[in-house]
Amino acid sequence: MASSVDTLAPPAVRALPGRRFDSVGAVRVALWLFVAAVVVAPLATVVSLGLGGNHVEQLIDDDIAGAATHSVVSSGLSAVFAVILATVMALLLDRTDLPGRGILRLVLLSPLLIPPFVGAIAWTGLLGPSGMVNRFWTETFGAPLWNIYGGDGVVFLLTVHSYPMAYLIIAAAMRRVPGDLEQIARIGGASPWHAMRTVTLPLLRPALLAAFTLTAVSNLADFGIPALIGLPERYVTLSTMVYRYIQSGTVDRPLEVVSTIGIVLLLLAVLAVFVDRRLSRRTRQLDGPVTAPQPLPLGGTRILSGALAWTVGLALTALPILALATQALLPAPGVPLTWGNLTLDSIEAAVTAPGTIVGVKNSLMLAVGAGIVCAVAGLVIGVLTTRTRSRDNTSLDLLSMLPQAVPGLVIAVGWLIVGRYTGLFDTRWVILCAYVTAFLAIVVQAVRAPLSTTPTSLEEAARASGASRLRSLRDVPWAMTVPAAATGGMLVALTAVRELTMSVLLVAPGTQTLGVSIFNLQQAGDYNAASALSLLVALVGIAGIGLLAGTRAGR
C-alpha cells in the first residue's frame, strides 16, 4: 500500500484526511522548504520586482539593446567556437594515436581550474597595448599584433575558458558511441576519417547541442572577462551594466532596474534551454553495449599533428602563465624584463595585504560551506527523487536543477533583493546562499547518475527484513552515493572558490572574496599586485592538474 508521502502534491505539505506523515514525508517537506528558500525565493523576487517597476524607458535610453546584443553575440560566438575546438580536441585526444595525448589532455583542461578573470589579466599581459607579444611585434614589425581589448577579445577569452567544459561533455558522449558502427562503415569501404565524419559526429549531435547550450548560458552572464577586456573599449554587456547600476548609484531604485535586466537574462537562458530541448527531441540516441573503438592512425602526419597540437595547447595555457609571472616579478608596468629588474615585492605586497588575507579566509569558508551544504542537500534530493514514488518528484528535481540554466548574475540579483528583507544583506551568508543556489545542481547530478542505473532490489530486501522506508533509504542508496555526493561537494568548493560574478555584486566591507580582491586591485590600477595574486591562484590550479596527472599515472 502506498504511503502518505506518495499522495503529496509539490507545494502542498499538509497531509490529506485520513493520512499521516512518515519519516520520509517529513524529509520531503524539509526539502521543499529548503528548495523554496534557496531557489524559488530569489528567482521569484527578481521577476516580481522587475515586473513591478517601469524602467524600460530608462534602460532603452542607457542602450540596453546594445548591451543585450553584445551579450548574445559574445556568448553565442564563444559557445560556437568552444564547441568546435572541443570537438577537434575530443577527436584528436580520444580517437587517434596522437603522441603524448594523455598529458596534453591535462594541459588543455587547465583553463577549467583558472578563474576566467585571472585568465583575462594574464592575456592582457600578452596582448594588451603594452603586453609582451605586442611589444615584441611592435619592435620587430612596427605595429602591434592584436589589441585584445574590445568585443573580439571578449569572445576569444570566453572561448578559451569554456572549451574545457564543452570537451568534457563531448568526450563523455563519444565514449558511449559503439566502435562497431565505425567498423561496419570501414568494412563497407569508408576511410577511417570518413567513417568518423558520417557515423560518429552525427551521433554526437545531442552532446554538441548540450555543450553549446551550457557554455552559451554560462558565458551569457560572465562578468570578469567583459569587465576587464570589454569596458576599456566601451564594449558593455548586460552583466557589466548591472554592476554599474549597483555600484555607481546613478539611478533611482537600482534593484528594480537590475531586476528588469535580470528578467532579460532569465528569458535568454530559458530560450536557450527551450531551443536545446526542441532540437534534442529530433536526435537519435543509442541504447546498448558499447564497444571500445580502435584509435585512428595518423600515419605520416602523426609527428606534425602532435607538434601542432602541443603548440596550440602551450600557447593557450603556458604563455598566459608566463605573462602573469612577468608582470608579478616586475616593479611596475612597462619596466623592461631584465634580471636586474626582477623583484618579489609585488608578490609580497599582494600576499600580505589585509584585503588578500580577508579574501582568502572568506573564500575558503564560503567554498567549504557551500560544498558541505550542497553535498548534503544534493544527496537527499537525488535519493528521494530517484528511489521513491511521489507526484512531486519531477517538480522537486526540476526546481533543484533550474539554477544550472540560470545565469549567476540573476541569482546574485535575487539574493541581493532577498538579503535586504531577511537581514542577510552585507553579510557573508548572502554570498553563501547564492553559491548554494547556483551549485546545488552539481551534486544532484552526481548523485542521480549512479542511482539511475542501480536496481532497487537491495532496498526491497531491507524493507522485507523489517527496516523502515527511511532506514532502507539511508542504509542502501544514501550509503552507496555518499562518495558521489562528496565528489560533487568538492567540485562545488573548487567552483565557488574561483567565483566572481555573484561575489562582486553581493560583496560588502569585510566580506570580499579572493576573486573580488584581485578584481579590485586590477580596477585600482595596481596591475603588478593583481598579477602576483592571480599568479598564485593560477599555480594552485596547475598544482591540481599535476596532482590529477600523478593520480592517473599511479593507476
Side-chain angles (χ1 to χ4, degrees), residues 188-201:
S191 66
W193 290 102
H194 183 74
M196 181 178 291
R197 182 174 59 84
T198 57
V199 175
T200 303
L201 289 180

Side-chain angles (χ1 to χ4, degrees), residues 48-200:
S48 176
L49 194 61
L51 295 177
N54 185 13
H55 300 282
V56 176
E57 184 176 350
Q58 180 178 6
L59 290 173
I60 292 176
D61 292 338
D62 290 342
D63 195 21
I64 189 176
T69 301
H70 289 163
S71 294
V72 172
V73 170
S74 61
S75 62
L77 285 179
S78 61
V80 170
F81 294 146
V83 169
I84 293 174
L85 181 58
T87 303
V88 174
M89 180 178 166
L91 293 176
L92 286 176
L93 298 180
D94 296 275
R95 283 297 178 93
T96 70
D97 58 350
L98 190 77
R101 59 186 181 277
I103 301 299
L104 180 59
R105 181 184 295 109
L106 295 177
V107 171
L108 287 169
L109 287 176
S110 62
L112 189 65
L113 298 180
I114 298 176
F117 65 92
V118 170
I121 294 174
W123 280 98
T124 58
L126 284 174
L127 295 169
S130 59
M132 292 170 50
V133 173
N134 277 334
R135 284 205 308 268
F136 169 78
W137 211 264
T138 301
E139 294 172 358
T140 305
F141 300 103
L145 175 64
W146 174 48
N147 183 3
I148 197 172
Y149 289 113
D152 49 352
V154 171
V155 172
F156 170 74
L157 285 179
L158 288 177
T159 300
V160 169
H161 284 275
S162 57
Y163 81 79
M165 182 60 69
Y167 164 77
L168 293 176
I169 297 173
I170 295 169
M174 187 176 291
R175 286 191 290 269
R176 294 195 296 268
V177 177
D180 293 345
L181 297 179
E182 289 183 8
Q183 293 297 326
I184 293 173
R186 294 181 64 180
I187 292 173
S191 66
W193 290 102
H194 183 74
M196 181 178 291
R197 182 174 59 84
T198 57
V199 175
T200 303

Side-chain angles (χ1 to χ4, degrees), residues 221-236:
D222 184 86
F223 171 76
I225 290 175
L228 295 174
I229 303 300
L231 286 183
E233 292 293 328
R234 297 185 180 180
Y235 187 85
V236 179

Side-chain angles (χ1 to χ4, degrees), residues 135-389:
R135 284 205 308 268
F136 169 78
W137 211 264
T138 301
E139 294 172 358
T140 305
F141 300 103
L145 175 64
W146 174 48
N147 183 3
I148 197 172
Y149 289 113
D152 49 352
V154 171
V155 172
F156 170 74
L157 285 179
L158 288 177
T159 300
V160 169
H161 284 275
S162 57
Y163 81 79
M165 182 60 69
Y167 164 77
L168 293 176
I169 297 173
I170 295 169
M174 187 176 291
R175 286 191 290 269
R176 294 195 296 268
V177 177
D180 293 345
L181 297 179
E182 289 183 8
Q183 293 297 326
I184 293 173
R186 294 181 64 180
I187 292 173
S191 66
W193 290 102
H194 183 74
M196 181 178 291
R197 182 174 59 84
T198 57
V199 175
T200 303
L201 289 180
L203 293 175
L204 290 178
R205 191 174 304 162
L208 299 178
L209 291 173
F212 172 81
T213 301
L214 180 62
T215 55
V217 171
S218 176
N219 293 343
L220 182 65
D222 184 86
F223 171 76
I225 290 175
L228 295 174
I229 303 300
L231 286 183
E233 292 293 328
R234 297 185 180 180
Y235 187 85
V236 179
T237 63
L238 291 175
S239 60
T240 55
M241 180 177 278
V242 168
Y243 178 77
R244 184 184 70 194
Y245 283 141
I246 294 295
Q247 297 296 326
S248 66
T250 56
V251 296
D252 296 330
R253 299 181 179 180
L255 290 181
E256 290 185 4
V257 177
V258 298
S259 294
T260 306
I261 300 176
I263 292 177
V264 175
L265 284 168
L266 189 59
L267 290 176
L268 290 175
V270 171
L271 177 62
V273 174
F274 173 76
V275 172
D276 174 63
R277 293 290 178 89
R278 292 285 296 181
L279 294 176
S280 297
R281 290 177 182 176
R282 303 177 184 178
T283 61
R284 297 179 180 178
Q285 298 185 8
L286 297 176
D287 185 16
V290 176
T291 56
Q294 296 182 355
L296 299 179
L298 293 174
T301 63
R302 184 171 184 264
I303 301 300
L304 179 61
S305 299
L308 181 61
W310 273 98
T311 300
V312 173
L314 292 177
L316 292 177
T317 56
L319 276 181
I321 302 302
L322 177 62
L324 274 183
T326 301
Q327 293 178 3
L329 294 175
L330 290 176
V335 175
L337 180 61
T338 62
W339 285 110
N341 290 332
L342 297 182
T343 177
L344 297 177
D345 291 346
S346 295
I347 296 178
E348 182 180 356
V351 171
T352 58
T356 300
I357 297 174
V358 172
V360 170
K361 289 181 179 179
N362 287 336
S363 290
L364 291 177
M365 184 197 74
L366 293 171
V368 172
I372 293 174
V373 173
C374 289
V376 174
L379 174 63
V380 180
I381 291 174
V383 169
L384 255 65
T385 55
T386 56
R387 310 304 269 195
T388 64
R389 291 184 299 172

